[in-house]
Amino acid sequence: MYRKILITTDGSAVSSKTACAGVAFAAQMQAEVLVLFVAPEYQYPIYVEIVPPSYPSEDDYRAAMLKAGEEHTRAVVLACQQQSLPCRSLTAFAEHTAMKIVEVAEQQQCDLIFMGSHGRSGWGQLLLGSVTNKVLSHTRIPVLVHRLIKEPDSK
């Protein structure tokens, strides 16, 4: 049914578990996987006239974020390899994560976006994480929202 699935990750533990569920879903479909990490754009320090020497340069920042993206997506790539699924990872830079997810999914011709209901900012939302909610409202591509179920406390 789905040939190319975009799986998002922000590097958090919740996001990693969701990404693993995405790989399992992709394996059922025998679909290609594109795993995406969206890093924030470089921000120049504001309210200072001179950039402090300890502040990273834009090139240093981009290199660090590309490395972080590689680390955050590595487990998904390995899980795909174990399932013999074609997979590649991508780190993108954007101020608006949700819009970048939608843009990448469209550019890469993905036919499904697989993401979690809560990420880093999800605790502040009643039903869905803010990024997930924005993706749902800005894309025409189907979105599968994976919700982690909290395990009951064992006594």
Side-chain angles (χ1 to χ4, degrees):
M1 183 171 178
Y2 299 107
R3 295 178 319 262
K4 190 171 188 180
I5 300 173
L6 175 69
I7 299 175
T8 62
T9 185
D10 64 12
S12 67
V14 170
S15 181
S16 295
K17 288 181 181 181
T18 296
C20 288
V23 171
F25 182 79
Q28 291 174 6
M29 301 287 133
Q30 286 299 298
E32 178 183 349
V33 172
L34 174 63
V35 58
L36 174 66
F37 171 72
V38 180
E41 289 282 2
Y42 180 77
Q43 295 290 316
Y44 288 96
I46 54 175
Y47 305 117
V48 295
E49 293 182 23
I50 299 173
V51 177
S54 62
Y55 201 79
S57 70
E58 188 170 357
D59 289 340
D60 290 341
Y61 172 80
R62 288 184 73 80
M65 288 296 99
L66 288 170
K67 183 177 180 182
E70 186 178 309
E71 290 171 8
H72 294 326
T73 60
R74 182 179 298 129
V76 179
V77 172
L78 292 173
C80 286
Q81 289 173 350
Q82 291 173 346
Q83 297 284 341
S84 300
L85 294 175
C87 177
R88 65 187 185 90
S89 65
L90 176 66
T91 297
F93 293 85
E95 280 305 309
H96 303 286
T97 302
M99 298 309 292
K100 182 53 86 171
I101 291 168
V102 170
E103 178 186 319
V104 168
E106 290 172 357
Q107 287 176 346
Q108 298 295 319
Q109 299 176 329
C110 296
D111 42 25
L112 179 72
I113 300 170
F114 190 103
M115 59 192 310
S117 60
H118 291 81
R120 274 189 221 143
S121 61
W123 66 269
Q125 301 294 317
L126 291 175
L127 298 174
L128 290 176
S130 60
V131 172
T132 303
N133 208 11
K134 288 175 187 167
V135 168
L136 285 166
S137 63
H138 287 92
T139 188
R140 299 175 89 182
I141 297 170
V143 179
L144 195 157
V145 179
H146 180 263
R147 183 171 168 229
L148 286 178
I149 299 172
K150 186 177 177 183
E151 305 262 336
D153 294 331
S154 57
K155 294 182 179 184

